[in-house]
Amino acid sequence: MPTKPTNNQPLTFWEHLDELRGSMIRIVLSIIVFGFAAFGFKTRLFDILLAPKYNDFITYRLINKLIDTQISDFSVNLINTGLAQQFMIHLKAAFAVGFLCASPYILYVLFKFVSPALYANERRTSLRLVSAGYLMFLLGVALNYFLIFPLTFRFLGTYQVAAEIPNMITLESYMSTLLMLSLMMGVMFELPILSWLLAALGLLNASFMRQYRKHAIVLILIIAAVITPTSDVFTLSIVSLPIYLLYEASIGIVKKAESKV
């Protein structure tokens, strides 16, 4: 039997509204504080964000060691085309990083607001689920920064239909692509968590996932080709492999969830 919530005197609607307002204010303030802190470290911030565009980025060095060859040098210069654009990009990047840094506190505030309405066992399950989902999101963002985006940028930034047509990549294009792909990979890494949730609700089973494994592989290859539109099989493989491993891990998670139902 589930344990009842510990609060014996439920809050009124207006008291809940006040609690929610206070939580939202704390969340916004935390994002502002971390955002302005990141804004103040402009040089360090953009040293990190612009690192994948340099030929000595760690990913390229590791690939050189792994395949015992030398990736051809490349040079991509970013340009700015608007009067206030660099300032706005700096602001957007700082608050994106600030939001990421403040995210543990944001999750804590939201969980603290919701948890009084949950049973004790529901709180434990929710805490594990949220923690796992957050870690998987961070893992997806890290994979994009160190692998997906560098290879994508190197291909698209140096691709030319003719030698006399040089690329002029804007800083806005670079930053938008980096942030978009980071979000996409973070969401994609929620696959095991989503699979567990669907299995717990009785909407997904391991036999179904095994039966349609071949279809899933084709879909994974299509997704990998869209995320990293490079021309070589090696790049497509290293992008597809983590996603495929997530699918296989999801099968095991779903099977385990079925045994507990």
Side-chain angles (χ1 to χ4, degrees), residues 19-241:
E19 285 285 336
L20 178 61
R21 181 168 59 92
S23 297
M24 292 299 103
I25 290 174
R26 289 192 292 273
I27 287 173
V28 171
L29 287 177
S30 68
I31 295 173
I32 291 175
V33 169
F34 280 100
F36 275 108
F39 187 87
F41 291 92
K42 181 180 69 173
T43 301
R44 184 57 179 164
L45 175 65
F46 281 93
D47 281 346
I48 295 172
L49 295 177
L50 298 180
K53 88 180 191 71
Y54 295 107
N55 199 52
D56 61 348
F57 187 58
I58 184 172
T59 299
Y60 308 130
R61 298 202 308 267
L62 289 175
I63 291 176
N64 288 338
K65 292 181 180 179
L66 287 174
I67 62 178
D68 195 24
T69 187
Q70 180 66 38
I71 296 180
S72 58
D73 291 344
F74 71 98
S75 177
V76 178
N77 294 319
L78 301 180
I79 64 170
N80 178 63
T81 58
L83 180 63
Q85 199 169 55
Q86 291 204 52
F87 174 78
M88 295 307 298
I89 291 172
H90 181 194
L91 198 63
K92 181 171 68 174
F95 277 92
V97 172
F99 179 83
L100 188 64
C101 293
S103 55
Y105 178 73
I106 293 173
L107 290 176
Y108 166 76
V109 171
L110 292 176
F111 185 78
K112 186 178 179 181
F113 175 76
V114 174
S115 61
L118 302 176
Y119 293 104
N121 62 328
E122 292 174 336
R123 284 197 294 272
R124 290 191 296 269
T125 301
S126 299
L127 181 59
R128 289 195 293 265
L129 188 64
V130 170
S131 299
Y134 179 67
L135 291 176
M136 291 301 293
F137 182 85
L138 292 182
L139 185 59
V141 171
L143 180 69
N144 174 67
Y145 176 78
F146 288 105
L147 184 64
I148 307 299
F149 179 74
L151 297 178
T152 301
F153 177 76
R154 183 180 181 275
F155 173 77
L156 295 178
T158 58
Y159 184 86
Q160 292 177 274
V161 296
E164 63 269 19
I165 306 178
N167 287 322
M168 299 181 68
I169 312 299
T170 65
L171 178 61
E172 170 65 27
S173 175
Y174 177 96
M175 291 301 303
S176 296
T177 304
L178 174 59
L179 294 178
M180 182 271 294
L181 285 179
S182 295
L183 178 61
M184 183 183 298
M185 289 303 300
V187 170
M188 190 172 297
F189 265 60
E190 299 299 317
L191 177 61
I193 309 302
L194 178 61
S195 298
W196 178 88
L197 186 60
L198 292 175
L201 295 173
L203 301 176
L204 186 65
N205 56 70
S207 60
F208 176 85
M209 297 182 72
R210 284 193 292 265
Q211 181 182 352
Y212 288 93
R213 179 184 277 115
K214 293 181 180 179
H215 300 78
I217 292 174
V218 173
L219 182 61
I220 287 170
L221 290 173
I222 293 173
I223 293 174
V226 171
I227 293 176
T228 312
T230 57
S231 57
D232 60 287
V233 177
F234 173 75
T235 301
L236 184 64
S237 298
I238 60 177
V239 173
S240 304
L241 181 60

